[in-house]
């Protein structure tokens, strides 16, 4: 009987260990989901598009929310196609088209402006500057990129083709692509992810301006050769065409080389991402 009891005890111990291990895996999964910096599933920063919020398949992503009907349940088809991709003649003036397969926005935008008008006199805050110098107040609180600020550049307009809500997320493909590579849907992006809705960019960080021009007149903007992360990435390397502030300056849309939440190149914990460019 003693041997039987011992065997039963061993079995019970094994069961307990299996249950404990399973609970441990569940706990790890829960922590991973809670700590997931970009994904709707479990895709930590820098681990690729699969499982991230830009994964629009149904198996691993959020495609079910946007009417994904592709029989192959592809991730990339929403934005890219290897054949019969969009050409510039059909792109509403967008010149950057990386095998682009999605409908494009034709929206024109109301752009960001500083709240302080053209100077401290208009703001009613004259004399409240650095060392009581109203001119210094204006220099430090006005947006100094207005000279080059225009509508968002081509690379940002690709992002806005989903994010401004004017084009359905599930609007992709064109003739003569196969029928299952096309979708003419109506599912627009959720409000919390909408940027530039109704053409309004006045309350968002400005894009479409020359960072290099701003840094020459604003002593609270970091040198473009400032190193961003441990790999040696610089601000300049993240500027579109080495100069322009665009969506890709802050976000890695494919979740491949970033280390921060919401596709940011590095985490904004303790505002460290903002303080990379803004010297405060």
């Amino acid at each position: 009987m003693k041997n039987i009891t011992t065997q039963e005890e061993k079995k019970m111990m094994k069961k307990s260990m299996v249950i404990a291990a399973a609970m441990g895996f569940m706990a790890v999964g829960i922590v991973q989901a809670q700590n997931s910096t970009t994904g709707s599933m479990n895709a930590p920063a820098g681990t690729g598009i699969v499982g991230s919020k830009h994964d629009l398949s149904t198996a691993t992503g959020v495609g079910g929310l946007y009417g994904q009907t592709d029989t192959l349940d592809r991730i990339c088809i929403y934005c890219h196609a290897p054949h019969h991709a969009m050409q510039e003649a059909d792109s509403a003036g967008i010149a950057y088209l990386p095998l682009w397969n999605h409908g494009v926005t034709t929206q024109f935008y109301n752009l960001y402006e500083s709240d302080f008008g053209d100077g401290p006199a208009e703001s009613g805050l004259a004399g409240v500057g650095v060392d009581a110098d109203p001119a210094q107040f204006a220099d430090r609180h006005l947006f100094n990129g207005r000279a080059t600020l225009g509508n968002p550049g081509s690379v940002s307009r690709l992002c806005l083709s989903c994010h401004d809500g004017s084009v359905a997320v599930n609007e992709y493909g064109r003739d003569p692509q196969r029928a299952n590579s096309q979708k003419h849907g109506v599912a627009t992006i959720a409000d919390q992810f909408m940027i530039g809705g109704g053409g309004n960019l006045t309350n968002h960080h400005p894009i479409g301006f020359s960072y290099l021009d701003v840094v020459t007149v604003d002593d609270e903007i970091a040198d473009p050769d400032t190193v961003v992360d441990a790999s040696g990435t610089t601000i300049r390397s993240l500027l579109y065409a080495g100069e322009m502030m665009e969506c890709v300056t802050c976000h890695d849309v494919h979740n491949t080389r970033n280390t921060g939440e919401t596709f940011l190149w590095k985490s904004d914990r303790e505002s460290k991402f903002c303080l990379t460019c803004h010297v405060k």
Side-chain angles (χ1 to χ4, degrees), residues 18-253:
V18 169
I19 291 170
M23 292 299 290
F25 283 126
M26 287 173 64
V28 169
I30 291 169
V31 170
Q32 188 180 24
Q34 290 173 342
N35 290 341
S36 175
T37 51
T38 61
S40 55
M41 309 292 280
N42 286 322
T47 59
I49 197 168
V50 176
S52 76
K53 281 188 170 65
H54 284 169
D55 176 355
L56 297 172
S57 70
T58 54
T60 56
V62 296
L65 300 177
Y66 297 108
Q68 170 65 290
T69 58
D70 176 24
T71 55
L72 299 176
D73 198 24
R74 289 168 286 186
I75 296 171
C76 306
I77 195 70
Y78 277 87
C79 294
H80 307 288
H83 305 291
H84 305 296
M86 180 176 285
Q87 295 180 296
E88 193 168 345
D90 304 315
S91 69
I94 295 175
Y96 177 68
L97 296 166
L99 290 174
W100 196 248
N101 196 46
H102 193 272
V104 293
T105 183
T106 58
Q107 185 75 259
F108 285 90
Y109 301 95
N110 294 316
L111 305 175
Y112 174 83
E113 284 284 351
S114 168
D115 290 335
F116 296 100
D118 292 324
E122 290 190 17
S123 71
L125 295 172
V128 193
V130 179
D131 297 327
D133 181 348
Q136 288 193 43
F137 180 89
D139 288 345
R140 292 178 179 274
H141 293 81
L142 290 174
F143 170 50
N144 289 303
R146 288 181 296 173
T148 59
L149 181 65
N151 262 275
S154 291
V155 66
S156 294
R157 287 180 63 192
L158 295 184
C159 301
L160 291 165
S161 291
C162 274
H163 280 279
D164 73 8
S166 67
V167 181
V169 174
N170 56 346
E171 173 70 29
Y172 60 87
R174 58 197 38 79
D175 291 332
Q177 292 176 351
R178 295 180 302 168
N180 72 335
S181 292
Q182 300 183 47
K183 176 73 175 179
H184 304 291
V186 295
T188 54
I189 198 164
D191 287 348
Q192 66 265 38
F193 304 122
M194 190 175 292
I195 306 293
N200 181 23
L201 287 175
T202 62
N203 59 340
H204 297 280
H205 189 289
I207 54 175
F209 67 90
S210 170
Y211 185 98
L212 301 187
D213 282 1
V214 172
V215 78
T216 63
V217 296
D218 192 330
D219 63 0
E220 292 188 330
I221 296 297
D223 185 283
D225 293 316
T226 299
V227 174
V228 174
D229 58 26
S231 69
T233 303
T234 63
I235 294 171
R236 189 188 300 273
S237 71
L238 299 176
L239 298 172
Y240 186 57
E243 177 180 6
M244 302 300 289
M245 179 79 188
E246 300 287 355
C247 297
V248 294
T249 306
C250 294
H251 302 282
D252 178 6
V253 297

